[in-house]
Amino acid sequence: MDEQGKGWVIVQLVLFLLIALAPGAAEPWPLSWLFSVLGLVLLLDGIVVMLLSLVTLGPNLTPFPRPRPEGQLVTTGIYSLIRHPLYTGVVLASLGLSLFTNSLLRLLLTVALFLVHDLKASREEQWLEERFPEYPNYRQRVKKFFPGVY
C-alpha cells in the first residue's frame, strides 16, 4: 500500500458499493420479519455510531489510515469506548442492511468489509503509535471495535 494508505480506501469503497448494489434475497429467510427488525436496529445503531465518530473526530477526520500531520489523538467521547468507532459503525450499518434485506450476498460482503477494516485499523495503529507516544497506553485500555469484546 502507499504512504497514506489510499489502497485501503479504494478497497473499502469497492466493498461499500458492492454491499449497496447487492440484491436482496429472492425468497425471504425463515423468520425474515425478525431479521428485518434486527437489521433495522443495527442499521440505525451503525448510523448513530458513525455520526458520533464524525462529530468527535472533527478536523482530525481523514479517509486514510495515516493520521493527519497536524491532527490530535482523540480519546474522548465514543473514542473512550472503542478505538475505531467509524469502522464499527460502517460494519454495523452494513450488517443491518444485510439482515434487513435478507441478503446472504450482502452478509458475506459485510464479513469481507469487517476483515478489511480490521487490517486497515491494524496498519493505522502502527502509524498512530509512531505519531503519538501515548497511543500504546490508549490501545491497552480501549478495545478495537466492540467495547469489552474486541
mmCIF file with all atom_site columns, all heavy atoms in Angstrom, residues 22-26 29 98-99 101-111:
data_model
loop_
_atom_site.group_PDB
_atom_site.id
_atom_site.type_symbol
_atom_site.label_atom_id
_atom_site.label_alt_id
_atom_site.label_comp_id
_atom_site.label_asym_id
_atom_site.label_entity_id
_atom_site.label_seq_id
_atom_site.pdbx_PDB_ins_code
_atom_site.Cartn_x
_atom_site.Cartn_y
_atom_site.Cartn_z
_atom_site.occupancy
_atom_site.B_iso_or_equiv
_atom_site.pdbx_formal_charge
_atom_site.auth_seq_id
_atom_site.auth_comp_id
_atom_site.auth_asym_id
_atom_site.auth_atom_id
_atom_site.pdbx_PDB_model_num
ATOM 1   N N   . ALA A 1 22  ? -25.826 -4.883  -4.034 1.00 0.00 ? 22  ALA A N   1
ATOM 2   C CA  . ALA A 1 22  ? -26.151 -6.311  -3.996 1.00 0.00 ? 22  ALA A CA  1
ATOM 3   C C   . ALA A 1 22  ? -27.661 -6.504  -3.868 1.00 0.00 ? 22  ALA A C   1
ATOM 4   O O   . ALA A 1 22  ? -28.335 -5.747  -3.174 1.00 0.00 ? 22  ALA A O   1
ATOM 5   C CB  . ALA A 1 22  ? -25.432 -6.985  -2.824 1.00 0.00 ? 22  ALA A CB  1
ATOM 6   N N   . PRO A 1 23  ? -28.167 -7.521  -4.513 1.00 0.00 ? 23  PRO A N   1
ATOM 7   C CA  . PRO A 1 23  ? -29.613 -7.766  -4.427 1.00 0.00 ? 23  PRO A CA  1
ATOM 8   C C   . PRO A 1 23  ? -30.005 -8.361  -3.078 1.00 0.00 ? 23  PRO A C   1
ATOM 9   O O   . PRO A 1 23  ? -29.194 -8.998  -2.410 1.00 0.00 ? 23  PRO A O   1
ATOM 10  C CB  . PRO A 1 23  ? -29.858 -8.774  -5.552 1.00 0.00 ? 23  PRO A CB  1
ATOM 11  C CG  . PRO A 1 23  ? -28.559 -9.489  -5.709 1.00 0.00 ? 23  PRO A CG  1
ATOM 12  C CD  . PRO A 1 23  ? -27.495 -8.478  -5.391 1.00 0.00 ? 23  PRO A CD  1
ATOM 13  N N   . GLY A 1 24  ? -31.252 -8.147  -2.725 1.00 0.00 ? 24  GLY A N   1
ATOM 14  C CA  . GLY A 1 24  ? -31.813 -8.808  -1.550 1.00 0.00 ? 24  GLY A CA  1
ATOM 15  C C   . GLY A 1 24  ? -32.108 -10.259 -1.895 1.00 0.00 ? 24  GLY A C   1
ATOM 16  O O   . GLY A 1 24  ? -31.879 -10.707 -3.022 1.00 0.00 ? 24  GLY A O   1
ATOM 17  N N   . ALA A 1 25  ? -32.632 -10.983 -0.941 1.00 0.00 ? 25  ALA A N   1
ATOM 18  C CA  . ALA A 1 25  ? -32.937 -12.395 -1.152 1.00 0.00 ? 25  ALA A CA  1
ATOM 19  C C   . ALA A 1 25  ? -34.081 -12.554 -2.148 1.00 0.00 ? 25  ALA A C   1
ATOM 20  O O   . ALA A 1 25  ? -35.030 -11.780 -2.150 1.00 0.00 ? 25  ALA A O   1
ATOM 21  C CB  . ALA A 1 25  ? -33.300 -13.043 0.175  1.00 0.00 ? 25  ALA A CB  1
ATOM 22  N N   . ALA A 1 26  ? -33.974 -13.559 -2.997 1.00 0.00 ? 26  ALA A N   1
ATOM 23  C CA  . ALA A 1 26  ? -35.055 -13.870 -3.938 1.00 0.00 ? 26  ALA A CA  1
ATOM 24  C C   . ALA A 1 26  ? -36.269 -14.391 -3.166 1.00 0.00 ? 26  ALA A C   1
ATOM 25  O O   . ALA A 1 26  ? -37.407 -14.111 -3.515 1.00 0.00 ? 26  ALA A O   1
ATOM 26  C CB  . ALA A 1 26  ? -34.587 -14.899 -4.958 1.00 0.00 ? 26  ALA A CB  1
ATOM 27  N N   . TRP A 1 29  ? -36.028 -15.247 4.116  1.00 0.00 ? 29  TRP A N   1
ATOM 28  C CA  . TRP A 1 29  ? -35.440 -16.215 5.036  1.00 0.00 ? 29  TRP A CA  1
ATOM 29  C C   . TRP A 1 29  ? -36.510 -16.685 6.014  1.00 0.00 ? 29  TRP A C   1
ATOM 30  O O   . TRP A 1 29  ? -37.503 -15.990 6.229  1.00 0.00 ? 29  TRP A O   1
ATOM 31  C CB  . TRP A 1 29  ? -34.314 -15.558 5.828  1.00 0.00 ? 29  TRP A CB  1
ATOM 32  C CG  . TRP A 1 29  ? -33.121 -15.135 5.035  1.00 0.00 ? 29  TRP A CG  1
ATOM 33  C CD1 . TRP A 1 29  ? -32.858 -15.418 3.725  1.00 0.00 ? 29  TRP A CD1 1
ATOM 34  C CD2 . TRP A 1 29  ? -32.029 -14.351 5.502  1.00 0.00 ? 29  TRP A CD2 1
ATOM 35  N NE1 . TRP A 1 29  ? -31.655 -14.848 3.359  1.00 0.00 ? 29  TRP A NE1 1
ATOM 36  C CE2 . TRP A 1 29  ? -31.128 -14.191 4.428  1.00 0.00 ? 29  TRP A CE2 1
ATOM 37  C CE3 . TRP A 1 29  ? -31.713 -13.772 6.715  1.00 0.00 ? 29  TRP A CE3 1
ATOM 38  C CZ2 . TRP A 1 29  ? -29.941 -13.486 4.538  1.00 0.00 ? 29  TRP A CZ2 1
ATOM 39  C CZ3 . TRP A 1 29  ? -30.528 -13.069 6.836  1.00 0.00 ? 29  TRP A CZ3 1
ATOM 40  C CH2 . TRP A 1 29  ? -29.649 -12.930 5.758  1.00 0.00 ? 29  TRP A CH2 1
ATOM 41  N N   . SER A 1 98  ? -27.809 -5.931  5.500  1.00 0.00 ? 98  SER A N   1
ATOM 42  C CA  . SER A 1 98  ? -27.812 -7.333  5.062  1.00 0.00 ? 98  SER A CA  1
ATOM 43  C C   . SER A 1 98  ? -28.981 -8.099  5.660  1.00 0.00 ? 98  SER A C   1
ATOM 44  O O   . SER A 1 98  ? -29.681 -8.846  4.961  1.00 0.00 ? 98  SER A O   1
ATOM 45  C CB  . SER A 1 98  ? -26.503 -8.016  5.475  1.00 0.00 ? 98  SER A CB  1
ATOM 46  O OG  . SER A 1 98  ? -25.396 -7.357  4.935  1.00 0.00 ? 98  SER A OG  1
ATOM 47  N N   . LEU A 1 99  ? -29.191 -7.917  6.959  1.00 0.00 ? 99  LEU A N   1
ATOM 48  C CA  . LEU A 1 99  ? -30.283 -8.626  7.624  1.00 0.00 ? 99  LEU A CA  1
ATOM 49  C C   . LEU A 1 99  ? -31.639 -8.064  7.214  1.00 0.00 ? 99  LEU A C   1
ATOM 50  O O   . LEU A 1 99  ? -32.592 -8.819  7.004  1.00 0.00 ? 99  LEU A O   1
ATOM 51  C CB  . LEU A 1 99  ? -30.104 -8.552  9.143  1.00 0.00 ? 99  LEU A CB  1
ATOM 52  C CG  . LEU A 1 99  ? -28.864 -9.252  9.705  1.00 0.00 ? 99  LEU A CG  1
ATOM 53  C CD1 . LEU A 1 99  ? -28.759 -9.025  11.202 1.00 0.00 ? 99  LEU A CD1 1
ATOM 54  C CD2 . LEU A 1 99  ? -28.867 -10.731 9.368  1.00 0.00 ? 99  LEU A CD2 1
ATOM 55  N N   . THR A 1 101 ? -32.536 -6.782  4.452  1.00 0.00 ? 101 THR A N   1
ATOM 56  C CA  . THR A 1 101 ? -32.895 -7.186  3.089  1.00 0.00 ? 101 THR A CA  1
ATOM 57  C C   . THR A 1 101 ? -32.787 -8.696  2.878  1.00 0.00 ? 101 THR A C   1
ATOM 58  O O   . THR A 1 101 ? -32.971 -9.168  1.753  1.00 0.00 ? 101 THR A O   1
ATOM 59  C CB  . THR A 1 101 ? -31.997 -6.470  2.060  1.00 0.00 ? 101 THR A CB  1
ATOM 60  O OG1 . THR A 1 101 ? -30.632 -6.797  2.315  1.00 0.00 ? 101 THR A OG1 1
ATOM 61  C CG2 . THR A 1 101 ? -32.197 -4.967  2.101  1.00 0.00 ? 101 THR A CG2 1
ATOM 62  N N   . ASN A 1 102 ? -32.492 -9.438  3.949  1.00 0.00 ? 102 ASN A N   1
ATOM 63  C CA  . ASN A 1 102 ? -32.365 -10.894 3.855  1.00 0.00 ? 102 ASN A CA  1
ATOM 64  C C   . ASN A 1 102 ? -31.376 -11.295 2.770  1.00 0.00 ? 102 ASN A C   1
ATOM 65  O O   . ASN A 1 102 ? -31.615 -12.229 2.006  1.00 0.00 ? 102 ASN A O   1
ATOM 66  C CB  . ASN A 1 102 ? -33.711 -11.543 3.564  1.00 0.00 ? 102 ASN A CB  1
ATOM 67  C CG  . ASN A 1 102 ? -34.704 -11.412 4.694  1.00 0.00 ? 102 ASN A CG  1
ATOM 68  O OD1 . ASN A 1 102 ? -35.461 -12.309 4.946  1.00 0.00 ? 102 ASN A OD1 1
ATOM 69  N ND2 . ASN A 1 102 ? -34.727 -10.302 5.393  1.00 0.00 ? 102 ASN A ND2 1
ATOM 70  N N   . SER A 1 103 ? -30.248 -10.603 2.693  1.00 0.00 ? 103 SER A N   1
ATOM 71  C CA  . SER A 1 103 ? -29.299 -10.829 1.611  1.00 0.00 ? 103 SER A CA  1
ATOM 72  C C   . SER A 1 103 ? -28.047 -11.544 2.105  1.00 0.00 ? 103 SER A C   1
ATOM 73  O O   . SER A 1 103 ? -27.220 -10.955 2.810  1.00 0.00 ? 103 SER A O   1
ATOM 74  C CB  . SER A 1 103 ? -28.910 -9.500  0.964  1.00 0.00 ? 103 SER A CB  1
ATOM 75  O OG  . SER A 1 103 ? -27.917 -9.699  -0.014 1.00 0.00 ? 103 SER A OG  1
ATOM 76  N N   . LEU A 1 104 ? -27.931 -12.799 1.712  1.00 0.00 ? 104 LEU A N   1
ATOM 77  C CA  . LEU A 1 104 ? -26.735 -13.562 2.052  1.00 0.00 ? 104 LEU A CA  1
ATOM 78  C C   . LEU A 1 104 ? -25.502 -12.960 1.381  1.00 0.00 ? 104 LEU A C   1
ATOM 79  O O   . LEU A 1 104 ? -24.427 -12.898 1.980  1.00 0.00 ? 104 LEU A O   1
ATOM 80  C CB  . LEU A 1 104 ? -26.903 -15.028 1.645  1.00 0.00 ? 104 LEU A CB  1
ATOM 81  C CG  . LEU A 1 104 ? -25.735 -15.947 1.986  1.00 0.00 ? 104 LEU A CG  1
ATOM 82  C CD1 . LEU A 1 104 ? -25.465 -15.959 3.483  1.00 0.00 ? 104 LEU A CD1 1
ATOM 83  C CD2 . LEU A 1 104 ? -26.013 -17.360 1.483  1.00 0.00 ? 104 LEU A CD2 1
ATOM 84  N N   . LEU A 1 105 ? -25.650 -12.489 0.152  1.00 0.00 ? 105 LEU A N   1
ATOM 85  C CA  . LEU A 1 105 ? -24.524 -11.865 -0.551 1.00 0.00 ? 105 LEU A CA  1
ATOM 86  C C   . LEU A 1 105 ? -24.037 -10.631 0.216  1.00 0.00 ? 105 LEU A C   1
ATOM 87  O O   . LEU A 1 105 ? -22.833 -10.461 0.421  1.00 0.00 ? 105 LEU A O   1
ATOM 88  C CB  . LEU A 1 105 ? -24.910 -11.480 -1.982 1.00 0.00 ? 105 LEU A CB  1
ATOM 89  C CG  . LEU A 1 105 ? -23.826 -10.790 -2.815 1.00 0.00 ? 105 LEU A CG  1
ATOM 90  C CD1 . LEU A 1 105 ? -22.556 -11.630 -2.880 1.00 0.00 ? 105 LEU A CD1 1
ATOM 91  C CD2 . LEU A 1 105 ? -24.352 -10.479 -4.207 1.00 0.00 ? 105 LEU A CD2 1
ATOM 92  N N   . ARG A 1 106 ? -24.951 -9.783  0.647  1.00 0.00 ? 106 ARG A N   1
ATOM 93  C CA  . ARG A 1 106 ? -24.561 -8.610  1.443  1.00 0.00 ? 106 ARG A CA  1
ATOM 94  C C   . ARG A 1 106 ? -23.894 -9.033  2.747  1.00 0.00 ? 106 ARG A C   1
ATOM 95  O O   . ARG A 1 106 ? -22.942 -8.402  3.194  1.00 0.00 ? 106 ARG A O   1
ATOM 96  C CB  . ARG A 1 106 ? -25.780 -7.742  1.752  1.00 0.00 ? 106 ARG A CB  1
ATOM 97  C CG  . ARG A 1 106 ? -26.172 -6.834  0.642  1.00 0.00 ? 106 ARG A CG  1
ATOM 98  C CD  . ARG A 1 106 ? -27.229 -5.839  1.111  1.00 0.00 ? 106 ARG A CD  1
ATOM 99  N NE  . ARG A 1 106 ? -27.483 -4.899  0.053  1.00 0.00 ? 106 ARG A NE  1
ATOM 100 C CZ  . ARG A 1 106 ? -28.687 -4.642  -0.464 1.00 0.00 ? 106 ARG A CZ  1
ATOM 101 N NH1 . ARG A 1 106 ? -29.758 -5.245  0.027  1.00 0.00 ? 106 ARG A NH1 1
ATOM 102 N NH2 . ARG A 1 106 ? -28.820 -3.773  -1.430 1.00 0.00 ? 106 ARG A NH2 1
ATOM 103 N N   . LEU A 1 107 ? -24.406 -10.082 3.351  1.00 0.00 ? 107 LEU A N   1
ATOM 104 C CA  . LEU A 1 107 ? -23.825 -10.566 4.599  1.00 0.00 ? 107 LEU A CA  1
ATOM 105 C C   . LEU A 1 107 ? -22.378 -11.020 4.382  1.00 0.00 ? 107 LEU A C   1
ATOM 106 O O   . LEU A 1 107 ? -21.490 -10.673 5.169  1.00 0.00 ? 107 LEU A O   1
ATOM 107 C CB  . LEU A 1 107 ? -24.681 -11.706 5.147  1.00 0.00 ? 107 LEU A CB  1
ATOM 108 C CG  . LEU A 1 107 ? -24.397 -12.179 6.558  1.00 0.00 ? 107 LEU A CG  1
ATOM 109 C CD1 . LEU A 1 107 ? -24.532 -11.049 7.566  1.00 0.00 ? 107 LEU A CD1 1
ATOM 110 C CD2 . LEU A 1 107 ? -25.336 -13.319 6.920  1.00 0.00 ? 107 LEU A CD2 1
ATOM 111 N N   . LEU A 1 108 ? -22.127 -11.746 3.310  1.00 0.00 ? 108 LEU A N   1
ATOM 112 C CA  . LEU A 1 108 ? -20.761 -12.188 3.005  1.00 0.00 ? 108 LEU A CA  1
ATOM 113 C C   . LEU A 1 108 ? -19.845 -11.002 2.689  1.00 0.00 ? 108 LEU A C   1
ATOM 114 O O   . LEU A 1 108 ? -18.681 -10.968 3.118  1.00 0.00 ? 108 LEU A O   1
ATOM 115 C CB  . LEU A 1 108 ? -20.779 -13.175 1.846  1.00 0.00 ? 108 LEU A CB  1
ATOM 116 C CG  . LEU A 1 108 ? -21.472 -14.511 2.132  1.00 0.00 ? 108 LEU A CG  1
ATOM 117 C CD1 . LEU A 1 108 ? -21.587 -15.340 0.857  1.00 0.00 ? 108 LEU A CD1 1
ATOM 118 C CD2 . LEU A 1 108 ? -20.754 -15.281 3.222  1.00 0.00 ? 108 LEU A CD2 1
ATOM 119 N N   . LEU A 1 109 ? -20.370 -10.024 1.964  1.00 0.00 ? 109 LEU A N   1
ATOM 120 C CA  . LEU A 1 109 ? -19.584 -8.821  1.671  1.00 0.00 ? 109 LEU A CA  1
ATOM 121 C C   . LEU A 1 109 ? -19.303 -8.024  2.947  1.00 0.00 ? 109 LEU A C   1
ATOM 122 O O   . LEU A 1 109 ? -18.240 -7.414  3.091  1.00 0.00 ? 109 LEU A O   1
ATOM 123 C CB  . LEU A 1 109 ? -20.306 -7.952  0.639  1.00 0.00 ? 109 LEU A CB  1
ATOM 124 C CG  . LEU A 1 109 ? -20.357 -8.516  -0.779 1.00 0.00 ? 109 LEU A CG  1
ATOM 125 C CD1 . LEU A 1 109 ? -21.355 -7.742  -1.634 1.00 0.00 ? 109 LEU A CD1 1
ATOM 126 C CD2 . LEU A 1 109 ? -18.978 -8.519  -1.417 1.00 0.00 ? 109 LEU A CD2 1
ATOM 127 N N   . THR A 1 110 ? -20.239 -8.046  3.890  1.00 0.00 ? 110 THR A N   1
ATOM 128 C CA  . THR A 1 110 ? -20.030 -7.357  5.173  1.00 0.00 ? 110 THR A CA  1
ATOM 129 C C   . THR A 1 110 ? -18.914 -8.027  5.965  1.00 0.00 ? 110 THR A C   1
ATOM 130 O O   . THR A 1 110 ? -18.108 -7.343  6.606  1.00 0.00 ? 110 THR A O   1
ATOM 131 C CB  . THR A 1 110 ? -21.344 -7.323  5.978  1.00 0.00 ? 110 THR A CB  1
ATOM 132 O OG1 . THR A 1 110 ? -22.311 -6.568  5.244  1.00 0.00 ? 110 THR A OG1 1
ATOM 133 C CG2 . THR A 1 110 ? -21.145 -6.696  7.350  1.00 0.00 ? 110 THR A CG2 1
ATOM 134 N N   . VAL A 1 111 ? -18.849 -9.339  5.917  1.00 0.00 ? 111 VAL A N   1
ATOM 135 C CA  . VAL A 1 111 ? -17.736 -10.050 6.575  1.00 0.00 ? 111 VAL A CA  1
ATOM 136 C C   . VAL A 1 111 ? -16.421 -9.616  5.942  1.00 0.00 ? 111 VAL A C   1
ATOM 137 O O   . VAL A 1 111 ? -15.438 -9.333  6.647  1.00 0.00 ? 111 VAL A O   1
ATOM 138 C CB  . VAL A 1 111 ? -17.924 -11.583 6.487  1.00 0.00 ? 111 VAL A CB  1
ATOM 139 C CG1 . VAL A 1 111 ? -16.673 -12.319 6.941  1.00 0.00 ? 111 VAL A CG1 1
ATOM 140 C CG2 . VAL A 1 111 ? -19.126 -12.021 7.314  1.00 0.00 ? 111 VAL A CG2 1
#
